[in-house]
Amino acid sequence: MFIAKTKEDNHLIEATQANHLQSYYCPACNERVRLKKGEINVPHFAHIVGSFCSASSEGETSIHLQGKLALFELFRKQYDEVRLEPWLSKIKQRPDLMLRKGNQWFVIEFQCATISIKNVQKRTKGYQQLKLKVIWILGEPYQKKRLQAGTLAKFAVIRERQLQIAFWQQEKGIIWHAWWQIDGKTKLLKRQVIHNQEQQLLKLQQAIIQSKPEIRVIQNELYHMKRFVIGIPWACHPQYPLPGGLKCAQWQVIVYILLALEKQPLTIAQLIIILTKQTWRQFGCVSIQAVQEMWLNYLLADLMSNKLLKKVADKMVLVKPLEWYETYQEKLQLKP
């Protein structure tokens, strides 16, 4: 950490201004800390081995310290006020940075080490109690490997009407990556037309042959209606990627939505209930309800642009009967 205090007057001091003749203490736990200041390491304070501080969630590496300082310098040029490692006594948390623009305060957590989603949720909830917006920025260690969907959900926020994750790169600064998915799996950075509906159908055919459990469940429901999974409407194979977050295939959710709309027009709130019954990732920084609403809004907009749905008063209504197919070959031949 870069900030410690003196025991005599609780004066806060930065590591760059400290000297080895003075004793320093952690503002959070009041334990003695050691000044590490030399020709190689970035000047900083460290807890003495064996001490425990609930505010110190990770052992700070050189990469973390240097990145935090770089972000501090970057934000100083962009915001009215920047605080380095402020101790928030009310929630007993110490964010890496606090930024102010006008009357709005933001919290920055610069993350380089592995952290559990429970800790991300706990820290985020703490800041939200103080009405602080929080952004988790991922450092270099997170950029050396392909991030799994669970990690993306852990740090994603809703920005510019999409799920986005922030990364820090020394050369480029803060980089935002969007998170879109095709069929609930393949990750994309942009929302653009995808011409792979036939490939989606082929993957569905393979899943049916493999008799995957999720296929058997929905197949049993369709069987009683004298319908087949392979014959679901082409609208269930999206032409545009949808926001990330689903653990199941997107076509399954779209099927349930269209089946419900075949029975009767439904409000957005009623359609959201269908989404809550599906399997979603655990999110660390944003509510699952907000993700579900955003996901549904994109889907409905796509279906309306294809003249399949329309909104009447406060309800979504099917414009025309859905086309269901009996075989793989028939479906390919009758593709719109």
Side-chain angles (χ1 to χ4, degrees):
M1 60 185 183
F2 291 117
I3 304 294
K5 67 178 183 179
T6 58
K7 190 172 185 179
E8 295 77 12
D9 54 8
N10 285 330
H11 175 68
L12 296 178
I13 187 168
E14 293 186 21
T16 54
Q17 306 299 317
N19 63 73
H20 291 287
L21 300 178
Q22 178 73 42
S23 296
Y24 301 101
Y25 299 82
C26 173
C29 66
N30 294 315
E31 290 288 331
R32 178 88 176 267
V33 293
R34 180 179 292 113
L35 173 64
K36 293 191 174 183
K37 190 175 185 180
E39 297 181 359
I40 299 178
N41 293 328
V42 177
H44 65 284
F45 299 102
H47 285 82
I48 297 173
V49 176
S51 64
F52 174 77
C53 177
S54 59
S56 180
S57 58
E58 65 173 15
E60 293 190 291
T61 64
S62 176
I63 292 176
H64 186 264
L65 292 167
Q66 290 173 353
K68 191 191 300 187
L69 278 180
L71 287 170
F72 178 71
E73 294 300 328
L74 173 68
F75 289 130
R76 285 177 66 181
K77 302 174 184 177
Q78 301 176 353
Y79 287 81
D80 299 330
E81 183 179 353
V82 181
R83 297 181 185 177
L84 184 63
E85 297 179 345
W87 172 241
L88 306 178
S89 58
K90 187 173 182 179
I91 58 174
K92 297 183 179 180
Q93 292 179 202
R94 181 177 57 215
D96 289 317
L97 296 164
M98 276 186 66
L99 324 172
R100 181 180 64 81
K101 180 161 284 190
N103 295 323
Q104 179 67 62
W105 281 95
F106 302 84
V107 163
I108 299 296
E109 286 283 13
F110 180 54
Q111 195 66 30
C112 290
T114 301
I115 183 173
S116 70
I117 191 167
K118 287 185 178 181
N119 281 334
V120 172
Q121 291 171 336
K122 179 180 178 182
R123 293 185 66 80
T124 299
K125 184 177 180 180
Y127 299 132
Q128 290 173 343
Q129 288 176 6
L130 300 182
K131 310 299 181 184
L132 296 171
K133 294 184 178 181
V134 56
I135 296 174
W136 292 74
I137 300 178
L138 303 185
E140 182 180 332
Y142 278 93
Q143 301 169 49
K144 292 182 177 179
K145 54 187 177 182
R146 183 177 180 180
L147 298 185
Q148 300 298 315
T151 301
L152 297 176
K154 191 184 298 183
F155 300 108
V157 296
I158 295 179
R159 178 176 178 268
E160 298 176 346
R161 293 186 63 245
Q162 54 189 310
L163 286 171
Q164 294 190 10
I165 300 93
F167 296 88
W168 164 256
Q169 295 180 3
Q170 186 66 40
E171 302 79 13
K172 300 180 180 179
I174 297 175
I175 306 295
W176 286 92
H177 285 180
W179 180 22
W180 301 94
Q181 286 184 317
I182 302 174
D183 202 24
K185 296 181 180 179
T186 307
K187 176 191 169 189
L188 293 177
L189 299 180
K190 295 181 179 180
R191 178 170 161 83
Q192 56 190 13
V193 177
I194 48 176
H195 302 285
N196 76 333
Q197 284 69 47
E198 293 185 11
Q199 183 180 356
Q200 292 182 41
L201 178 60
L202 178 59
K203 288 184 177 180
L204 176 57
Q205 173 81 325
Q206 293 170 343
I208 293 171
I209 294 173
Q210 295 169 4
S211 190
K212 292 187 176 180
E214 62 272 20
I215 297 292
R216 293 198 299 269
V217 171
I218 195 168
Q219 178 62 84
N220 289 337
E221 295 182 40
L222 292 176
Y223 183 77
H224 294 296
M225 304 168 64
K226 297 183 179 180
R227 290 172 172 174
F228 308 95
V229 171
I230 197 62
I232 60 177
W234 276 106
C236 298
H237 306 291
Q239 291 184 327
Y240 287 88
L242 293 166
L246 269 173
K247 293 184 73 173
C248 61
Q250 291 171 342
W251 66 262
Q252 296 180 49
V253 187
I254 301 174
V255 165
Y256 285 122
I257 288 174
L258 293 180
L259 286 174
L261 287 171
E262 277 188 320
K263 296 178 181 178
Q264 60 184 353
L266 297 172
T267 64
I268 300 297
Q270 290 171 320
L271 292 172
I272 287 289
I273 293 175
I274 297 174
L275 294 188
T276 61
K277 297 178 181 178
Q278 313 307 312
T279 53
W280 294 80
R281 299 283 173 186
Q282 274 193 296
F283 282 83
C285 308
V286 64
S287 72
I288 185 62
Q289 292 80 10
V291 175
Q292 290 168 345
E293 289 176 8
M294 181 175 62
W295 191 95
L296 182 62
N297 286 336
Y298 274 105
L299 173 65
L300 295 179
D302 291 346
L303 294 177
M304 285 191 288
S305 67
N306 290 329
K307 312 297 183 184
L308 188 61
L309 292 184
K310 67 178 180 180
K311 192 170 186 180
V312 179
D314 64 339
K315 294 185 178 181
M316 302 305 303
V317 181
L318 277 175
V319 174
K320 55 186 177 182
L322 297 170
E323 286 194 56
W324 293 78
Y325 308 93
E326 292 189 3
T327 66
Y328 179 86
Q329 291 74 19
E330 178 193 25
K331 186 170 178 178
L332 282 178
Q333 292 172 0
L334 299 178
K335 184 177 185 293

